[in-house]
Amino acid sequence: QLLSDVGLKLSAEEFNDQDFTKYHLFSVSDEKILRRLIVPGPVLLRGPRGSGKSAYMRQAHKILEQSSATVVSSYISLRYFPLITAKAEDYLSILVPYVSRHIAASFEAYGLQTDDLAGASTVDEFNAAVVSLCLRHERRLVILFDDVAHIGREVSLAGFFDFFRTISSSLVSCKASIYPGVTKFGSRFDLYSDATIVEAQRDERTADFSKFFSDLLAIRYPDLLARCETKLGMVIPILLGRAVLGNVRAFTAFCDYLQEIDGRIT
């Protein structure tokens, strides 16, 4: 089944769990990024739109769910979180309960009680409750905050990153996806000492760059290669991958455009 058969989807969040597994793949280079999202410690996954940040986040969450009996993973998309126009400190009263509900649901999915989180409304209460929860169940918590920029279009993200820094500990590993150059962290968050920066952008100099786009083309648009001139067959994946600077979202949009062209691709 072609990707276009189920409608063009440019974001990893638009895929249900079954289709996400079917239409996404990860290279050896990607595995290095995934490891950084799984191990302890705060991480900021940085990359432009379409670089695969949400895909990395969802895959890391999936790996943790399936492979570890000592970790609880909570994937929290902030894409549909209400845009905040108030001061940063005012929206923490909305953010804290929102995050609490997601973490409670993650622990309960493992069959673990979450009474500790009931009623937590401030950052300090939340932090104490989460630490207590982790200690009681002898679990490490990984929180994957995706699409953080969506809550900071009109105000600085200083409040969020103060929250991020405060709750990060040996028991709670916070990860967040950010855009390069435009994210405002505030004066209390030091970008290079309060988190590790991991770049999501794919590099055409890596050995598996061509294979990644070749495999992706075979999964999402398998008939495109058959419609290409013979001499294009071997180079079209890397040609398209380079043309979009390694951006998977642009690659998908480009292939969808080619899919609509009648006849041979020359």
Side-chain angles (χ1 to χ4, degrees), residues 2 9 20 39 54 65 89 109 129 131 154 182 205 218 264:
L2 300 178
K9 297 178 180 179
F20 177 81
V39 298
S54 293
E65 280 191 319
E89 53 270 19
V131 169
E154 299 181 35
V182 298
R205 293 170 297 181
R264 298 282 288 172

Side-chain angles (χ1 to χ4, degrees), residues 72-259:
V72 171
S73 175
S74 184
Y75 171 82
I76 304 176
S77 173
L78 296 172
R79 169 171 290 201
Y80 303 110
F81 188 81
L83 288 177
I84 303 301
T85 58
K87 293 181 179 179
E89 53 270 19
D90 294 335
Y91 70 73
L92 287 176
S93 61
I94 303 172
L95 181 66
V96 169
Y98 183 84
V99 174
S100 294
R101 289 194 298 271
H102 280 81
I103 291 175
S106 298
F107 271 87
E108 288 164 4
Y110 289 84
L112 306 173
Q113 295 299 314
T114 59
D115 297 338
D116 311 64
L117 280 171
S121 59
T122 68
V123 176
D124 289 339
E125 290 174 350
F126 172 86
N127 198 30
V130 169
V131 169
S132 174
L133 197 61
C134 291
L135 290 173
R136 182 155 59 90
H137 294 298
E138 298 182 336
R139 299 287 183 110
R140 180 170 65 88
L141 173 63
V142 177
I143 311 175
L144 299 154
F145 293 106
D146 198 13
D147 282 321
V148 171
H150 283 267
I151 64 172
R153 291 178 181 172
E154 299 181 35
V155 295
S156 167
L157 284 167
F160 171 82
F161 283 104
D162 190 34
F163 172 71
F164 181 98
R165 179 180 59 82
T166 301
I167 67 173
S168 295
S169 67
S170 59
L171 291 173
V172 180
S173 299
C174 292
K175 324 289 180 178
S177 61
I178 62 171
Y179 294 141
V182 298
T183 304
K184 299 177 181 178
F185 300 95
S187 59
R188 299 181 64 184
F189 187 89
D190 189 303
L191 180 59
Y192 294 102
S193 64
D194 288 330
T196 299
I197 306 296
V198 175
E199 300 294 344
Q201 187 73 4
R202 284 186 169 82
D203 188 344
E204 69 174 62
R205 293 170 297 181
T206 57
D208 53 11
F209 183 88
S210 178
K211 184 178 186 304
F212 172 82
F213 284 103
S214 179
D215 292 345
L216 192 63
L217 193 65
I219 290 173
R220 296 191 174 189
Y221 298 96
D223 66 327
L224 275 184
L225 286 178
R227 292 174 50 216
C228 290
E229 286 187 350
T230 303
K231 60 185 178 181
L232 274 180
M234 296 298 292
V235 299
I236 195 72
I238 193 169
L239 177 65
L240 297 184
R242 284 177 169 174
V244 299
L245 305 179
N247 190 292
V248 177
R249 185 177 300 182
F251 178 83
T252 301
F254 196 175
C255 290
D256 197 70
Y257 167 75
L258 293 176
Q259 189 84 341

